[in-house]
Amino acid sequence: MTQFWLSRRLKSAVIITLCIIAVIASIQTTGLTRALIELIAFGGLIWLALSKPDIKQHDA
């Protein structure tokens, strides 16, 4: 299975984008459309939070 890891900068940009999408959905839509858009944005945030970090730490 192919795994896709995002760089730190790209991951930050995606998190901000998903949050903006959720806010816009809350303001501009209602009902099922709003719920689906927010669910997709929330799922994306959970996926990013649980994905393996791209940063490797080295001991000094």
Side-chain angles (χ1 to χ4, degrees), residues 3-56:
Q3 303 224 353
F4 180 65
W5 306 118
L6 298 174
S7 70
R8 182 178 183 189
R9 176 176 254 172
L10 183 58
K11 187 181 273 191
S12 297
V14 171
I15 289 171
I16 292 169
T17 303
L18 288 171
C19 289
I20 290 170
I21 288 170
V23 169
I24 291 172
S26 294
I27 295 170
Q28 298 294 325
T29 60
T30 60
L32 183 60
T33 304
R34 176 182 179 178
L36 289 175
I37 293 170
E38 288 182 347
L39 181 63
I40 291 168
F42 180 71
L45 289 171
I46 294 297
W47 174 74
L48 286 170
L50 297 177
S51 67
K52 180 180 174 186
D54 190 47
I55 302 166
K56 294 180 182 175

